[in-house]
Amino acid sequence: MSQFASYLTERYETELAQAKPEMIRGYMDHMLAQGKSAASVTRFLASAKCFYNYLVSSGAVAESPVITAGRAERKYPEILTNKEVELFLEQPQCVDDKGYRDHAMLELLYATGIRVSELISLDLQDLNLPAGILRCASRGKERIIPLYKTAVKALQDYVKNVR
């Protein structure tokens, strides 16, 4: 809101309480022209809406000048090709403790689809390597996740050689 206040002062010689809907639209266009993402513009709009709702409820302004806008475009992650996945999983060299650890972590992430936060909270008792399963608990839920042979092998190597 402080950046918007500076914009209003420089462009319109006015303050936040005197903003009009066209000034807000102009600032949103200004943000986009500066290379800000649609998500940043949407965040500004949400902040402005809360700010002006507060000013209305406190009696500082009669009505909010904030306009509604469409949702920001979501950026989806790029999907790796099979070759890229193979190259990714071959990166950590199992020549030292860090290499075994990194290889096991990448295999687990790829094999299970667990979140990184779930991965770093795992303990050895969460693994049942002979059965090829992993117990993962997060967000108040527990899941039993099957592992494929390459992930089991990477975990066995890590447990045997490092842990």
Side-chain angles (χ1 to χ4, degrees):
M1 291 309 297
S2 63
Q3 291 173 354
F4 179 53
S6 296
Y7 170 83
L8 288 175
T9 302
E10 291 170 16
R11 180 88 184 240
Y12 299 101
E13 296 180 1
T14 190
E15 296 180 8
L16 288 169
Q18 286 77 40
K20 305 282 185 237
E22 59 272 8
M23 295 174 183
I24 292 176
R25 272 190 230 104
Y27 183 65
M28 292 167 54
D29 291 339
H30 172 75
M31 290 177 72
L32 292 170
Q34 284 188 316
K36 302 286 185 189
S37 71
S40 294
V41 175
T42 302
R43 269 193 307 277
F44 158 72
L45 204 53
S47 299
K49 184 176 180 181
C50 288
F51 176 74
Y52 283 106
N53 284 344
Y54 168 75
L55 290 182
V56 169
S57 69
S58 67
V61 297
E63 64 180 3
S64 173
V66 177
I67 54 171
T68 57
R71 298 187 63 96
E73 178 181 323
R74 287 204 172 235
K75 294 179 184 171
Y76 293 103
E78 292 183 32
I79 298 173
L80 300 176
T81 65
N82 288 342
K83 186 67 175 169
E84 288 171 330
V85 170
E86 289 174 21
L87 290 171
F88 180 69
L89 292 175
E90 291 172 1
Q91 288 304 309
Q93 301 298 316
C94 295
V95 293
D96 61 358
D97 292 352
K98 187 179 173 195
Y100 280 105
R101 181 203 64 200
D102 292 351
H103 182 68
M105 288 172 65
L106 291 176
E107 285 288 349
L108 251 183
L109 287 170
Y110 178 69
T112 63
I114 62 175
R115 298 173 190 87
V116 173
S117 60
E118 293 171 330
L119 173 71
I120 61 175
S121 67
L122 290 176
D123 292 320
L124 282 175
Q125 55 263 43
D126 295 327
L127 292 173
N128 184 340
L129 294 177
I133 58 173
L134 166 74
R135 185 177 56 83
C136 181
S138 74
R139 299 183 181 189
K141 297 178 183 176
E142 182 175 288
R143 302 176 307 203
I144 304 297
I145 304 169
L147 301 172
Y148 65 90
K149 292 178 185 176
T150 311
V152 171
K153 170 84 169 88
L155 287 165
Q156 287 172 333
D157 291 345
Y158 173 67
V159 170
K160 183 178 101 180
N161 296 318
V162 178
R163 298 289 293 214

